[in-house]
Amino acid sequence: MAPKILWIGLGNMGRGMCKNVVEKGHVDHPVLLYNRTKQRSVEFSEKFSAGKTEIVDSVAAGVAKADIIFTILAKDDVVEAVADEIFKAGDVKGKLFVECSTVHPDTTVRLAKAFHDRGAEFVAAPVFGAPAMGDAGHLVGVLAGPKASVQKASPYFKGVMAKSEIDMSDEPYEKALQLKLIGNTFILNMVEQLSEGLVLAEKSGLGTQYLHAFVESILPGPFAAYSTRILSGAYHSMSYPLFPVDLARKDARHVLSLAEACGAQLKNVEVADAHLAQVKEHDGEWGDIAGIYGAVRKEAGLKYENN
């Protein structure tokens, strides 16, 4: 019989990932749902036919019923607080915990030890991709932990939530988060480079449309998608950020601390993070990573908004 699954965290990314588990995860039981804001669980559950999901009122109630628990949460302190609730729920021996949040590697190491000390299995499984990719099941999963545990988690990734996996079986847990954080610097640096290039194209008289055409031709995929998103003005007009500024800055802090600890430097990330600070000042918590374009515009004497 297929294991019972509990899903904790229905934010932008979590909703798409969980949707694919419900629809394509070959589950024999309703997927248990828990979110701190219960209404989000209710609205999500209503998207499926009866019997596909079941809302639980507490972490403890869900853990008691589940064999595999997936978590994807925003920040390290939230992840650790939920772990504390899980431990208070009672016996977790034999259960598998799959942690998909982007946290500091040290946080993952602490979590893994705490779960192992209580007889549970643990897999560090951060994912690469935007929320739209999560919804489409096109993420890239990074799975680290004992091979037997990774093999239990893997069926819910490739072909369900993900288009591919980076298998780190039997590697230290922290390596999955190191890769995730370093990988996220590529996104941050991409947005910074696009912003600087597009502002220069406008200020120099070239015109952003020609640089955008270059990007579409030479750098299709994420570069072209972010260029479109930036030029559309979505960075200052969207109702909800796709990559919130606070999460982008959290990732920047984590990777900068990782670099400092081993004597490396990330000058590009430092510049991008300074622009993110300006995004935060301008847009507050509703700021998006693409708002870097607005910050670069202001430095060049243009309006933050490109309308």
Side-chain angles (χ1 to χ4, degrees):
M1 183 176 291
K4 295 180 181 178
I5 294 172
L6 168 64
W7 192 278
I8 300 176
L10 292 169
N12 268 4
M13 185 68 80
R15 289 194 298 274
M17 293 170 68
C18 185
K19 173 184 78 73
N20 284 302
V21 169
V22 173
E23 294 177 344
K24 299 185 294 183
H26 306 293
V27 291
D28 293 338
H29 312 279
V31 174
L32 305 169
L33 306 174
Y34 176 79
N35 195 78
R36 285 186 297 174
T37 304
K38 186 176 179 179
Q39 184 59 29
R40 185 169 286 180
S41 295
V42 172
E43 292 171 358
F44 180 77
S45 182
E46 289 172 348
K47 299 177 184 293
F48 305 99
S49 57
K52 288 289 188 179
T53 62
E54 177 186 338
I55 299 169
V56 293
D57 292 326
S58 67
V59 169
V63 171
K65 294 182 177 183
D67 304 301
I68 301 178
I69 296 90
F70 287 89
T71 51
I72 180 161
L73 302 162
K75 299 177 183 178
D76 297 52
D77 58 345
V78 176
V79 172
E80 295 197 273
V82 168
D84 287 341
E85 291 184 56
I86 289 171
F87 299 145
K88 293 175 183 175
D91 186 14
V92 295
K93 188 175 181 179
K95 297 180 186 290
L96 170 63
F97 293 84
V98 184
E99 223 305 301
C100 302
S101 312
T102 300
V103 294
H104 194 284
D106 292 349
T107 301
T108 295
V109 171
R110 286 196 301 273
L111 289 171
K113 183 178 186 305
F115 280 104
H116 282 302
D117 286 350
R118 291 165 173 81
E121 295 183 70
F122 186 89
V123 171
V127 295
F128 285 110
M133 294 171 68
D135 195 61
H138 292 166
L139 299 172
V140 176
V142 183
L143 281 66
K147 186 173 183 177
S149 300
V150 169
Q151 287 176 337
K152 290 181 183 178
S154 183
Y156 302 98
F157 284 86
K158 188 174 182 179
V160 179
M161 296 188 292
K163 64 180 180 180
S164 62
E165 298 171 10
I166 298 174
D167 188 338
M168 290 185 163
S169 292
D170 294 331
E171 289 279 13
Y173 288 110
E174 59 266 32
K175 285 195 174 183
L177 279 303
Q178 290 169 347
L179 177 59
K180 169 61 174 171
L181 291 171
I182 295 172
N184 273 11
T185 68
F186 283 66
I187 305 300
L188 185 57
N189 293 336
M190 174 183 68
V191 176
E192 178 69 31
Q193 183 59 59
L194 281 169
S195 298
E196 292 180 10
L198 289 168
V199 168
L200 178 59
E202 180 175 349
K203 290 282 288 188
S204 67
L206 168 65
T208 57
Q209 71 273 25
Y210 297 117
L211 185 61
H212 180 68
F214 160 79
V215 170
E216 286 189 312
S217 298
I218 304 298
L219 300 167
F223 267 91
Y226 263 99
S227 183
T228 298
R229 181 166 148 198
I230 286 169
L231 292 176
S232 73
Y235 70 93
H236 62 79
S237 61
M238 64 179 69
S239 58
Y240 188 84
L242 295 178
F243 195 156
V245 61
D246 287 342
L247 298 189
R249 295 206 73 198
K250 177 260 297 180
D251 290 355
R253 287 194 303 273
H254 283 345
V255 79
L256 286 169
S257 74
L258 187 66
E260 182 180 8
C262 64
Q265 292 187 322
L266 296 173
K267 296 294 188 181
N268 290 345
V269 175
E270 292 174 7
V271 170
D273 186 53
H275 285 139
L276 285 172
Q278 295 178 42
V279 175
K280 174 71 172 183
E281 183 178 354
H282 188 277
D283 292 328
E285 64 180 303
W286 296 103
D288 183 82
I289 191 174
I292 286 175
Y293 178 57
V296 176
R297 284 174 60 85
K298 284 187 69 176
E299 287 182 343
L302 300 171
K303 284 180 56 183
Y304 182 91
E305 297 80 9
N306 65 343
N307 55 1

